[in-house]
Amino acid sequence: MTRIAILGAAGYTALELIKILLRHPEAEIVAVTDLREGQPHVAMIHPSLNGRLDLRVENLSPAEVAARAECVFLCLPHGVSASLVPSLLDGGAKVIDFSADYRLDDPEIFAHWYDQKHGDPERLGKTVYGLPELFREQIIPSRLVANPGCYPTSTILALAPLLKAGLVSPKGIVVDSKSGVSGAGRTPRLTTHYPECNESISAYGIGRHRHTPEIDRFLSMAAGAPVEVVFTPHLVPMDRGILTTTYSRAAGDVTEEKLLDTLREFYADEPFVRVVDHLPGTKDTMGGNYCHLTARVVRGRVLTISCIDNLIKGASGAAAQNFNLLFGYPETTALF
Amino acid sequence: MTRIAILGAAGYTALELIKILLRHPEAEIVAVTDLREGQPHVAMIHPSLNGRLDLRVENLSPAEVAARAECVFLCLPHGVSASLVPSLLDGGAKVIDFSADYRLDDPEIFAHWYDQKHGDPERLGKTVYGLPELFREQIIPSRLVANPGCYPTSTILALAPLLKAGLVSPKGIVVDSKSGVSGAGRTPRLTTHYPECNESISAYGIGRHRHTPEIDRFLSMAAGAPVEVVFTPHLVPMDRGILTTTYSRAAGDVTEEKLLDTLREFYADEPFVRVVDHLPGTKDTMGGNYCHLTARVVRGRVLTISCIDNLIKGASGAAAQNFNLLFGYPETTALF
Amino acid sequence: MTRIAILGAAGYTALELIKILLRHPEAEIVAVTDLREGQPHVAMIHPSLNGRLDLRVENLSPAEVAARAECVFLCLPHGVSASLVPSLLDGGAKVIDFSADYRLDDPEIFAHWYDQKHGDPERLGKTVYGLPELFREQIIPSRLVANPGCYPTSTILALAPLLKAGLVSPKGIVVDSKSGVSGAGRTPRLTTHYPECNESISAYGIGRHRHTPEIDRFLSMAAGAPVEVVFTPHLVPMDRGILTTTYSRAAGDVTEEKLLDTLREFYADEPFVRVVDHLPGTKDTMGGNYCHLTARVVRGRVLTISCIDNLIKGASGAAAQNFNLLFGYPETTALF
Amino acid sequence: MTRIAILGAAGYTALELIKILLRHPEAEIVAVTDLREGQPHVAMIHPSLNGRLDLRVENLSPAEVAARAECVFLCLPHGVSASLVPSLLDGGAKVIDFSADYRLDDPEIFAHWYDQKHGDPERLGKTVYGLPELFREQIIPSRLVANPGCYPTSTILALAPLLKAGLVSPKGIVVDSKSGVSGAGRTPRLTTHYPECNESISAYGIGRHRHTPEIDRFLSMAAGAPVEVVFTPHLVPMDRGILTTTYSRAAGDVTEEKLLDTLREFYADEPFVRVVDHLPGTKDTMGGNYCHLTARVVRGRVLTISCIDNLIKGASGAAAQNFNLLFGYPETTALF
């Protein structure tokens, strides 16, 4: 049994994480914190937890958290995580961080995209990226894991194997992603006010979305060459799900069969990635920790289509996968 | 040509009103006001008006408004209207008020339900209720019209003819209404944040929704006897539309045929009310100024089902109808 | 470990049942059948099961099914179940039937509402109704369970305790229910074609919905007096969830406190019913086997509001609860 | 006043066309036809037309149609139009065809993409493409207009001016489009069954969508060089609206300012195209005949984002524009 704390309990990723952990036979949630005032009980923030998790929301110091919990999940804004991680690690806890604070390896790139100085630059580049399909062996012995972003997960799982195999060119990759509204968080804003975003699709953050350098970094690593994607996220009127369509130039004579074979081989032993022949929809992955993906060739261009649930495989499911790896539980525990 | 001002231009009812008036051959919008800072142009508040209405959003006094416009539409919060109406009328303008300030006839009932002292009690009870189907003759010569609430419109149109005809008992009427989210306004709140209210239906304001006394008042008038409804509004995951299901005790041997005949006769000359045999859905009325309604008898109880678009027949379409009546244009102008 | 067959695997309830059973440590799905041609594998019917359940869809006789499985779930149309149940029971299997075939106790009432002669009238009235909150002790030793309908579940859980306690009158009860579209099944029809039912709410089946006699039967049992409800279902633009609002006459001086206390006491030991103070929304119960409910008093009328996920507590979750009871597993297994 | 017939009245484009024409002071709908049996009245097919258009649905020969109507709108399947157009033109009517039958100029390309021999190959290539923003002068004197497809409209309006101005390369253009479900028509299918496509986004028809050659043709014309786009349509859970994101290589040093200036100049006198600075959403154009579009430069790639209502500017609104041009009415009549 592992004692768990969740910092930043009010958001959607925390809620999904809690639901997964409640099904985990070896996880015990012992503390949840949040800064919102006047919400004493976790079931008052998340009515669906009524009668399922009897915990008060507390306001604890990192030392108090580390004293109580062996594993700490940080569902906190970018920048805040880096201010807490050193103390949590010093206190003896292992940490799984949902923010982007430890996903990049260069403090200057971080500063450029996140408009702030990094608060813990030493750990940058030394922290493992929590995508088990690519970095399982490095995750297992870690004490800090940078849980991947949702868009990067859907993109990297689709393209990394093809770049690694040299089937697509690292130059000029277009990533056109479509996300449900939960990806925008739980803070009410006009853009996510129901009558504004319902029955509407729009692009946002073109050329400046913060997941861009994260995608660049790990696709470059796969390609062994610098990759700079053109990344366009769109907001889709649905609760959850990401569908990512990528467009790359084929490297040589590439067939769909070759693409699908390469993907199938790469993910042959992976419990949560499904390479499919048909065109998947996000609903195929809704509520599960799966990525469904396929590939096509159109007029010499390679297309990939990948789907995930942004809150599960794109956040809390991946975090639970990492938790299982960090603490020696079967990787799929609580995730089927 | 009639010069028009719209006060409170940022909401959904103002947007729909503007769209209707832009189609009106005799309406000229000359001023729009709003208190939000930093939104100089109406198309910056409502992107769909881009290139269709070239007006800056101003901050004008009632006297300035009345000097410029012959007709003023007030899309303002309850209480604010009553503070402006006297000056606007004094300035010579006719006023169509979207708020509840002039819908009731008793300042104490207003104070009870709206938690505030009424600011213009003399005009209470002397102001016509802008439901043309019931009060057309009184609207025509008026200078101030209380535009009806959305729930009351859907309820009164269904029940008033049956109460008037003595076909249902005034006692124990249940009104179960379902509304799209635009009815909650345009201010972002957690309850109307997309991932909260999408894929969910909930009741709200049970026993204390402010449309209750408005429904009571006009059903009592129709019945010639005090009516006190049990009114339950629900929030439905859709942009717009209200469906109201009412349950009353039949007064004597009432058949569906008799109910439908009574409704058909009552609305025989009405351009915007359709009595139908089938069960209507809100989409049948979406975007139009229509009310579709029907009636059923089940185990001795009379049911009515009525549908409107809450933003059109439930607000801005009715206001345009009233505008046409006040200024002598054909009642249906710009509404087909 | 219990061997399980699912007959009628193409629908939404079957899909949810499979997902629940895949999490059940003691359940092994050994056969799925369906009549659709050309869908050889269960993952071709339900893409979300890709890589999770490797079973071909078969066309088996009842004897073959009973030879292979200890527990058979029937996700079949009304009337078909009754034609298979006798052979399945004879073959030694226990049966959980999702259809309405065994929910009523009178073949004539069945014939009246379902427009067909009952195929197994002897078992009618002797089969336990699989609502564990009311009939747990009778379910445990059974070999055939009539899994409850979705609307009846939401209604009976709310009203049975209040009728039993004599707090509301059995006369003149109104049940106004709102359901997501999955309740209409998976066969494409114009009424459930996306652009028809999206952004629209409508009532249907007024006065003749087949869940009426089922609600009548079990509320009468609770009241110890005949109950005949006026039941109105509505179709809401969302995938899943039922919210039921009921209106009853208070029996004497009833307070909200008294109502809530009565409900809380009744469900004190129930793992899946939550009596809440706030007004619940269907999303609070989405994906879970819970019923959230509350009560109000308005102008002398008692209102209950109850929410369930129609596919889980309203179908497959309840079925899994019954499975656990029939085979001696902890009732909540696979359901948290 | 112009007498109008609509052939194929049961679909969504016909419904929107009727609503527009009902607002047109010079349009009189004199005949509607459809092949569905048992739907005698147009209001039985489209409940929202109740009391607004009193016409029986008929089954008329082309000669009968042409005898009665001066203008015929064909809302018919591909292939059927070409079988009727010769007789309608011979009968003296002008024809606006919603199908793809006259949009291409090469019968072989038609046969390749539409899997059928063209029925009226002589008129192929001689028929004007009804996009007034590009072909207004040719439309005015025509008797037959090929009304554009929805995806092509959103794509061509965005890219044609940039290709014409030589700001983007004609090579390697990617067109990633997202459409609401009404684009799939009104025939119920599993893919458009509400619980299947709600809360899900998916790509479809990759590499073989029939709008591809139409986009190719008119972009090639604008570029003065062969264009072969990679076109990927997606199905989005909303009723209507198309957002098209295109990716092209910049031709030389291109800035956003230059792109926007070029688009603004091109559309300076157009009543229905708005070049905006912000990123538009489909809701900005919902229900209107507008296209909102903008452009961006990201890492040397030119992006355009364009939005239309697929049923209006993408179909029936454009058709009404064409009607106005053919019959000498102001082009914007009934479209504001």
Side-chain angles (χ1 to χ4, degrees):
Chain A
M1 189 68 79
T2 303
R3 283 168 287 112
I4 288 169
I6 299 169
L7 275 54
Y12 296 126
T13 53
L15 173 59
E16 294 302 319
L17 179 63
I18 289 169
K19 287 185 177 175
I20 292 168
L21 294 175
L22 287 174
R23 282 196 220 118
H24 198 296
E26 301 294 336
E28 184 192 10
I29 304 173
V30 298
V32 294
T33 77
D34 200 71
L35 298 177
R36 296 196 191 192
E37 298 299 324
Q39 296 285 17
H41 196 283
V42 73
M44 297 180 70
I45 302 178
H46 299 297
S48 62
L49 296 179
N50 205 298
R52 298 166 74 179
L53 179 63
D54 188 16
L55 270 184
R56 298 182 65 79
V57 179
E58 300 179 83
N59 211 326
L60 302 170
S61 71
E64 290 170 312
V65 169
R68 217 190 281 178
E70 296 155 271
C71 184
V72 182
F73 292 89
L74 300 182
C75 304
L76 297 167
H78 308 305
V80 180
S81 284
S83 73
L84 302 178
V85 158
S87 326
L88 291 167
L89 293 173
D90 286 354
K94 295 184 182 178
V95 177
I96 297 169
D97 179 23
F98 282 59
S99 87
D101 283 3
Y102 295 94
R103 295 179 194 157
L104 304 178
D105 57 356
D106 183 334
E108 284 185 35
I109 292 179
F110 180 88
H112 172 75
W113 288 88
Y114 287 87
D115 287 323
Q116 53 185 280
K117 208 162 160 285
H118 197 282
D120 186 19
E122 265 94 274
R123 282 193 182 81
L124 228 54
K126 297 177 195 150
T127 304
V128 69
Y129 188 65
L131 196 61
E133 288 78 9
L134 294 185
F135 302 104
R136 182 172 288 112
E137 294 316 310
Q138 298 94 303
I139 294 167
I140 291 169
S142 293
R143 297 193 50 232
L144 170 64
V145 175
N147 211 53
C150 49
Y151 288 123
T153 295
S154 68
T155 307
I156 297 164
L157 288 176
L159 281 175
L162 303 183
L163 284 163
K164 216 163 201 163
L167 298 179
V168 301
S169 162
K171 299 269 177 216
I173 296 174
V174 166
V175 178
D176 189 293
S177 287
K178 298 90 176 166
S179 172
V181 185
S182 62
R186 206 182 178 198
T187 305
R189 288 191 186 85
L190 190 58
T191 46
T192 49
H193 184 50
Y194 187 92
E196 298 288 313
C197 65
N198 186 45
E199 293 292 303
S200 194
I201 177 168
S202 56
Y204 68 99
I206 290 188
R208 51 191 185 68
H209 193 283
R210 291 163 163 184
H211 285 172
T212 307
E214 189 177 334
I215 297 171
D216 285 350
R217 182 185 174 202
F218 295 100
L219 292 190
S220 299
M221 204 179 282
V227 172
E228 290 207 328
V229 300
V230 173
F231 170 55
T232 310
H234 298 77
L235 193 68
V236 178
M238 58 187 196
D239 277 352
R240 48 212 282 181
I242 285 180
L243 181 134
T244 292
T245 314
T246 74
Y247 302 86
S248 316
R249 266 174 266 160
D253 261 1
V254 166
T255 62
E256 271 173 29
E257 199 185 2
K258 176 80 181 153
L259 294 169
L260 291 170
D261 283 351
T262 302
L263 291 168
R264 284 218 170 83
E265 197 173 332
F266 194 91
Y267 293 119
D269 300 327
E270 287 300 332
F272 296 120
V273 181
R274 303 276 177 266
V275 182
V276 298
D277 290 321
H278 62 273
L279 295 172
T282 55
K283 203 165 217 172
D284 300 346
T285 60
M286 191 164 67
N289 193 48
Y290 298 89
C291 175
H292 287 203
L293 68 91
T294 194
R296 294 288 182 276
V297 179
V298 180
R299 296 179 160 179
R301 203 72 59 93
V302 170
L303 277 70
T304 66
I305 308 277
S306 52
C307 296
I308 59 169
D309 184 324
N310 59 306
L311 294 178
I312 309 295
K313 184 58 182 162
S316 305
Q321 239 181 308
N322 286 317
F323 167 74
N324 287 330
L325 291 171
L326 291 185
F327 287 87
Y329 303 121
E331 188 175 337
T332 59
T333 311
L335 288 169
F336 275 153
Chain B
M1 188 68 78
T2 303
R3 283 170 286 112
I4 289 169
I6 299 170
L7 276 53
Y12 296 126
T13 53
L15 173 59
E16 293 303 319
L17 179 62
I18 289 169
K19 288 184 176 174
I20 292 168
L21 294 176
L22 287 174
R23 283 199 220 117
H24 198 296
E26 302 292 337
E28 186 192 9
I29 305 174
V30 297
V32 294
T33 77
D34 200 70
L35 298 177
R36 296 195 190 192
E37 299 299 324
Q39 295 286 18
H41 196 283
V42 71
M44 297 181 69
I45 303 179
H46 299 298
S48 62
L49 296 180
N50 205 297
R52 297 166 75 179
L53 178 63
D54 188 17
L55 269 186
R56 298 182 65 78
V57 179
E58 301 179 81
N59 211 326
L60 303 171
S61 71
E64 289 170 312
V65 169
R68 218 191 282 178
E70 296 154 271
C71 185
V72 182
F73 292 89
L74 301 181
C75 304
L76 298 167
H78 308 306
V80 180
S81 284
S83 73
L84 300 178
V85 158
S87 326
L88 290 167
L89 293 173
D90 286 354
K94 294 184 183 179
V95 177
I96 297 169
D97 179 24
F98 282 59
S99 87
D101 284 3
Y102 296 94
R103 296 179 193 156
L104 305 178
D105 57 355
D106 182 336
E108 285 186 34
I109 293 179
F110 180 87
H112 172 74
W113 287 88
Y114 286 86
D115 287 324
Q116 52 184 279
K117 208 161 160 284
H118 198 281
D120 185 19
E122 266 93 89
R123 282 193 182 80
L124 227 55
K126 297 177 194 148
T127 305
V128 68
Y129 188 64
L131 196 61
E133 289 78 8
L134 294 185
F135 302 105
R136 183 171 287 114
E137 295 315 311
Q138 297 94 305
I139 293 168
I140 290 170
S142 292
R143 296 192 51 231
L144 170 64
V145 175
N147 211 52
C150 49
Y151 288 123
T153 294
S154 68
T155 308
I156 297 166
L157 288 176
L159 281 175
L162 304 183
L163 284 164
K164 217 161 201 165
L167 298 178
V168 301
S169 162
K171 299 268 179 218
I173 295 174
V174 165
V175 178
D176 189 292
S177 287
K178 299 90 175 168
S179 172
V181 184
S182 62
R186 206 182 178 197
T187 304
R189 289 192 184 83
L190 189 60
T191 46
T192 50
H193 184 51
Y194 186 92
E196 298 288 313
C197 66
N198 186 44
E199 292 292 301
S200 194
I201 177 170
S202 56
Y204 69 98
I206 291 187
R208 50 190 185 70
H209 194 283
R210 291 164 163 183
H211 284 172
T212 307
E214 189 178 332
I215 297 171
D216 285 351
R217 183 186 172 202
F218 294 101
L219 292 190
S220 298
M221 204 180 281
V227 171
E228 290 207 327
V229 300
V230 172
F231 171 56
T232 310
H234 298 77
L235 194 66
V236 178
M238 58 186 195
D239 277 352
R240 48 211 284 180
I242 286 179
L243 182 134
T244 291
T245 315
T246 75
Y247 303 86
S248 317
R249 267 173 264 160
D253 261 2
V254 166
T255 63
E256 271 174 28
E257 198 185 2
K258 176 79 180 156
L259 294 169
L260 291 170
D261 284 350
T262 302
L263 291 168
R264 284 217 170 85
E265 196 174 332
F266 193 91
Y267 292 119
D269 300 326
E270 287 300 332
F272 296 119
V273 181
R274 304 277 178 265
V275 181
V276 298
D277 289 323
H278 62 274
L279 294 172
T282 55
K283 204 164 217 173
D284 301 346
T285 60
M286 191 164 67
N289 193 47
Y290 298 89
C291 175
H292 287 203
L293 68 91
T294 194
R296 294 288 183 278
V297 179
V298 179
R299 292 178 162 181
R301 203 72 59 94
V302 170
L303 278 69
T304 66
I305 309 278
S306 51
C307 294
I308 58 169
D309 183 323
N310 59 307
L311 294 178
I312 310 294
K313 185 58 184 164
S316 305
Q321 239 181 310
N322 286 317
F323 167 74
N324 286 331
L325 291 172
L326 291 186
F327 287 88
Y329 303 121
E331 187 173 339
T332 59
T333 311
L335 288 168
F336 276 153
Chain C
M1 190 69 77
T2 303
R3 282 170 287 112
I4 288 169
I6 300 170
L7 276 54
Y12 296 127
T13 54
L15 173 59
E16 294 302 319
L17 179 64
I18 289 169
K19 287 185 177 175
I20 292 168
L21 294 175
L22 287 174
R23 285 197 218 116
H24 197 297
E26 302 292 337
E28 187 192 8
I29 305 174
V30 297
V32 293
T33 76
D34 200 69
L35 298 178
R36 297 194 191 194
E37 298 300 323
Q39 296 285 17
H41 196 283
V42 73
M44 296 180 71
I45 302 178
H46 299 297
S48 63
L49 296 180
N50 204 297
R52 297 166 76 179
L53 178 63
D54 188 17
L55 269 184
R56 298 182 65 80
V57 179
E58 300 178 84
N59 212 328
L60 303 170
S61 72
E64 290 170 311
V65 170
R68 217 191 284 179
E70 297 155 272
C71 184
V72 182
F73 292 90
L74 300 182
C75 305
L76 297 167
H78 308 305
V80 181
S81 284
S83 72
L84 301 177
V85 158
S87 326
L88 291 168
L89 293 174
D90 286 353
K94 295 184 183 180
V95 177
I96 297 170
D97 178 24
F98 282 59
S99 86
D101 284 3
Y102 297 93
R103 296 180 192 156
L104 304 178
D105 56 357
D106 181 335
E108 285 186 33
I109 293 180
F110 180 87
H112 172 74
W113 288 88
Y114 287 86
D115 287 322
Q116 53 184 279
K117 207 161 161 285
H118 198 282
D120 186 19
E122 266 94 89
R123 284 194 179 80
L124 226 53
K126 296 178 195 148
T127 305
V128 68
Y129 188 64
L131 195 62
E133 290 77 9
L134 295 185
F135 302 105
R136 182 172 288 113
E137 293 317 309
Q138 297 94 304
I139 294 167
I140 291 170
S142 293
R143 298 194 49 232
L144 169 64
V145 175
N147 212 52
C150 49
Y151 289 123
T153 294
S154 68
T155 307
I156 297 166
L157 288 176
L159 280 175
L162 304 183
L163 284 163
K164 215 162 202 164
L167 297 178
V168 301
S169 162
K171 299 267 178 218
I173 295 175
V174 166
V175 177
D176 189 292
S177 287
K178 298 91 175 168
S179 172
V181 185
S182 62
R186 205 181 178 198
T187 304
R189 288 192 185 83
L190 189 61
T191 47
T192 50
H193 185 50
Y194 186 93
E196 299 289 312
C197 66
N198 186 45
E199 293 291 302
S200 194
I201 177 169
S202 55
Y204 68 99
I206 291 188
R208 49 190 186 71
H209 194 284
R210 291 163 164 185
H211 285 173
T212 307
E214 188 178 335
I215 297 172
D216 285 351
R217 181 185 174 203
F218 294 100
L219 292 190
S220 300
M221 204 180 283
V227 171
E228 290 207 327
V229 300
V230 172
F231 170 55
T232 311
H234 298 77
L235 194 68
V236 179
M238 57 187 197
D239 277 352
R240 47 213 279 180
I242 286 179
L243 182 134
T244 291
T245 313
T246 75
Y247 302 86
S248 317
R249 266 173 264 159
D253 261 0
V254 165
T255 62
E256 271 173 29
E257 200 186 1
K258 177 77 181 155
L259 293 169
L260 291 169
D261 284 352
T262 302
L263 290 168
R264 283 216 171 85
E265 197 173 331
F266 194 92
Y267 292 118
D269 299 326
E270 286 300 332
F272 295 120
V273 181
R274 304 279 178 263
V275 182
V276 298
D277 290 322
H278 62 274
L279 294 173
T282 54
K283 204 165 216 173
D284 301 346
T285 59
M286 190 164 67
N289 193 46
Y290 299 89
C291 175
H292 286 204
L293 69 91
T294 194
R296 294 289 183 276
V297 179
V298 178
R299 294 178 160 179
R301 203 72 59 96
V302 170
L303 277 70
T304 66
I305 309 277
S306 51
C307 295
I308 59 169
D309 184 324
N310 59 306
L311 294 178
I312 310 295
K313 185 57 182 162
S316 306
Q321 239 181 308
N322 287 318
F323 167 73
N324 287 330
L325 291 170
L326 291 185
F327 287 87
Y329 302 121
E331 187 174 338
T332 60
T333 310
L335 289 168
F336 276 151
Chain D
M1 189 68 79
T2 303
R3 281 170 287 112
I4 288 169
I6 299 170
L7 276 53
Y12 296 127
T13 53
L15 173 59
E16 293 303 318
L17 179 63
I18 290 169
K19 287 184 177 174
I20 292 169
L21 294 176
L22 287 174
R23 284 198 218 115
H24 198 297
E26 302 294 337
E28 187 193 8
I29 305 174
V30 297
V32 294
T33 76
D34 201 69
L35 298 178
R36 298 195 190 192
E37 298 300 323
Q39 296 285 17
H41 196 283
V42 72
M44 296 179 71
I45 303 178
H46 299 297
S48 63
L49 295 180
N50 203 298
R52 296 166 75 179
L53 179 63
D54 188 16
L55 270 185
R56 298 182 65 79
V57 180
E58 301 178 83
N59 212 327
L60 303 171
S61 71
E64 289 170 312
V65 170
R68 216 191 285 179
E70 297 155 272
C71 184
V72 182
F73 292 90
L74 301 181
C75 304
L76 298 167
H78 307 305
V80 181
S81 284
S83 72
L84 301 177
V85 158
S87 326
L88 291 167
L89 293 174
D90 285 353
K94 295 184 182 178
V95 177
I96 297 170
D97 179 24
F98 283 58
S99 87
D101 284 2
Y102 295 94
R103 295 179 194 157
L104 305 178
D105 56 357
D106 182 334
E108 285 186 33
I109 294 180
F110 181 87
H112 173 74
W113 289 88
Y114 287 87
D115 287 323
Q116 53 184 278
K117 206 161 163 285
H118 197 282
D120 185 20
E122 265 94 274
R123 284 194 179 79
L124 226 53
K126 297 178 194 147
T127 304
V128 68
Y129 189 64
L131 196 60
E133 290 76 10
L134 295 185
F135 301 104
R136 183 172 287 112
E137 294 316 310
Q138 298 94 304
I139 294 167
I140 291 170
S142 292
R143 297 193 50 232
L144 169 64
V145 176
N147 211 51
C150 49
Y151 288 123
T153 294
S154 68
T155 307
I156 297 166
L157 288 177
L159 280 175
L162 304 182
L163 284 164
K164 215 162 202 162
L167 297 178
V168 301
S169 162
K171 300 267 178 218
I173 296 175
V174 166
V175 178
D176 189 292
S177 287
K178 298 90 176 166
S179 172
V181 185
S182 61
R186 205 181 179 198
T187 305
R189 287 192 185 83
L190 190 60
T191 47
T192 49
H193 185 50
Y194 187 93
E196 298 289 312
C197 66
N198 186 44
E199 293 291 301
S200 194
I201 177 169
S202 56
Y204 68 98
I206 290 188
R208 49 188 186 74
H209 193 284
R210 292 164 163 183
H211 284 173
T212 306
E214 188 178 334
I215 297 172
D216 285 350
R217 180 184 175 203
F218 294 100
L219 292 190
S220 299
M221 204 180 284
V227 172
E228 289 208 327
V229 300
V230 173
F231 170 55
T232 312
H234 297 78
L235 194 67
V236 179
M238 56 187 196
D239 277 352
R240 47 212 280 180
I242 285 179
L243 181 134
T244 291
T245 314
T246 74
Y247 303 86
S248 317
R249 266 174 265 158
D253 261 2
V254 165
T255 61
E256 270 173 31
E257 200 185 2
K258 176 78 181 155
L259 294 169
L260 291 170
D261 284 351
T262 302
L263 291 167
R264 283 215 171 84
E265 198 174 331
F266 193 92
Y267 293 119
D269 299 327
E270 286 300 331
F272 295 120
V273 181
R274 305 275 178 265
V275 181
V276 298
D277 289 322
H278 62 274
L279 295 172
T282 54
K283 204 166 216 173
D284 301 346
T285 59
M286 191 164 67
N289 193 46
Y290 298 89
C291 175
H292 286 204
L293 69 89
T294 194
R296 292 289 184 277
V297 179
V298 178
R299 295 177 159 180
R301 202 70 60 95
V302 170
L303 278 69
T304 66
I305 309 278
S306 51
C307 295
I308 59 169
D309 184 323
N310 59 306
L311 294 179
I312 310 293
K313 184 59 182 160
S316 306
Q321 240 180 307
N322 287 318
F323 167 73
N324 287 329
L325 290 171
L326 291 186
F327 288 87
Y329 303 121
E331 187 174 339
T332 59
T333 310
L335 288 168
F336 276 151

